[in-house]
Amino acid sequence: MLLDTPSLYFRAFYGVPESMTAPDGMPVNAVRGLIDMIATLVKTHSPTHLVAAMDADWRPAFRVAAIPSYKAHRVASGDEEEIPDTLAPQVPVIEKVLAAVGIASFGVEGYEADDVIGTLATAATQPVEIVTGDRDLFQLVDDEKRRRVLYTVRGIRNLQTVDEAWVTAKYGIPGRAYADFATLRGDPSDGLPGVAGIGEKTAASLITRFGSLDALLAAVGDEGFPAGARNKLEAARDYLAVAPAVVKVAHDVPIPRGSFEVPAKPHDPEALIALADRYGLDSPLNRLLAVLGKS
């Protein structure tokens, strides 16, 4: 099981009241919410291995160099992401809690959590479940390789299982073609413009007809190619030359060595007790430890 941790702690932050505070009054709603999410996931899905992927770089230079608008609307200042003031201090606490529990948690410099997930998922030899609220990771769905997404749009207790059939039913595209489809359509939430004049339905029909973005672009000059789409694709040649590298998650991130097995007991009990006392986390941590002890 691979966790898109930033997606989950943002969801926890907005889903759990800020009245959940540490003894000193610091909000810990995201911390508590994430701990309970992990407990629920382990209890209901019984993974043998678990990685909480982090953003070491939320806006990697290689993506910005290709498309400068990538996530530009979410920049607070410099290279800093715009993040709620009461969430920012909770992220280091989350990292400390995961480390003390013994759940593998890391980011890789120069990459997003999505890239860590993409690398681990494509290298895995066992079934993989990816927990995220981000549609970008639908590109990793592969029935043959037993990879699926558990989509959190309806909540952690009502996860939408995304496999190839679901992608086809939802978007009208081949089940493994989400990245090419998203490249054409664009994604305003990530600052990706897409091809001007080509919306979701046209993108879906083109990808379905030609099978892939590469095949589509190779056929643009062919007789019988839709004239309206041809003009729009020709006008977007520069964008289409660089966009796939931005949209597709990396599969070659240097992953640190370590055990990714679900821990049966805390890695650092003393540190965990100190964190529980400092931030008032006894209840959620006891729930998580009880689930881990049975896994």
Side-chain angles (χ1 to χ4, degrees):
M1 177 172 281
L2 305 175
L3 307 180
D4 180 2
T5 315
S7 168
L8 297 182
Y9 65 61
F10 266 96
R11 184 174 188 87
F13 176 78
Y14 288 111
V16 179
E18 284 193 44
S19 56
M20 292 286 185
T21 60
D24 66 358
M26 171 186 167
V28 289
N29 52 325
V31 183
R32 292 177 66 101
L34 180 65
I35 294 170
D36 279 334
M37 285 179 178
I38 295 174
T40 297
L41 289 164
V42 172
K43 182 178 181 179
T44 55
H45 293 271
S46 302
T48 57
H49 297 74
L50 179 65
V51 174
M54 305 295 287
D55 278 337
D57 190 339
W58 72 282
R59 192 170 178 249
F62 74 91
R63 290 194 168 102
V64 176
I67 299 181
S69 63
Y70 182 67
K71 293 186 177 179
H73 59 295
R74 285 149 57 182
V75 174
S77 62
D79 293 325
E80 295 298 314
E81 181 179 14
E82 189 173 39
I83 183 170
D85 291 342
T86 50
L87 172 57
Q90 297 188 59
V91 177
V93 179
I94 287 169
E95 293 172 337
K96 291 175 184 176
V97 167
L98 293 173
V101 171
I103 293 172
S105 175
F106 54 86
V108 176
E109 191 63 36
Y111 295 96
E112 300 177 58
D114 287 6
D115 300 310
V116 172
I117 290 170
T119 300
L120 289 168
T122 54
T125 56
Q126 69 239 70
V128 174
E129 293 180 323
I130 299 161
V131 186
T132 184
D134 186 351
R135 296 180 300 174
D136 293 345
L137 290 172
F138 292 174
Q139 65 184 271
L140 293 171
V141 165
D142 189 319
D143 290 355
E144 183 180 346
K145 295 179 180 175
R146 300 177 296 172
R147 290 198 305 260
R148 63 183 189 172
V149 166
L150 303 179
Y151 190 37
T152 62
V153 67
R154 300 185 305 194
I156 210 73
R157 296 182 184 277
N158 191 21
L159 294 167
Q160 174 67 62
T161 299
V162 177
D163 56 13
E164 288 187 36
W166 189 92
V167 171
T168 298
K170 176 71 173 177
Y171 299 106
I173 58 175
R176 301 181 197 176
Y178 187 83
D180 287 348
F181 164 72
T183 299
L184 286 179
R185 180 198 62 192
D187 188 346
S189 68
D190 280 340
L192 297 173
V195 175
I198 291 185
E200 187 162 299
K201 288 185 178 180
T202 303
S205 67
L206 289 171
I207 291 298
T208 298
R209 176 176 172 180
F210 293 96
S212 70
L213 183 59
D214 286 343
L216 168 65
L217 295 177
V220 164
D222 292 352
E223 185 177 349
F225 192 93
R230 175 189 291 121
N231 294 337
K232 293 166 185 174
L233 291 167
E234 291 287 6
R237 280 282 184 182
D238 289 347
Y239 163 77
L240 291 170
V242 296
V246 176
V247 173
K248 291 180 180 177
V249 298
H251 294 178
D252 57 354
V253 171
I255 300 296
R257 292 184 178 182
S259 173
F260 302 151
E261 292 183 3
V262 174
K265 58 183 180 180
H267 171 71
D268 191 338
E270 290 186 6
L272 198 58
I273 290 170
L275 288 164
D277 291 344
R278 166 70 178 82
Y279 297 104
L281 302 173
D282 282 338
S283 294
L285 283 174
N286 284 336
R287 288 192 288 270
L288 176 58
L289 294 177
V291 169
L292 292 175
K294 296 177 182 177
S295 64

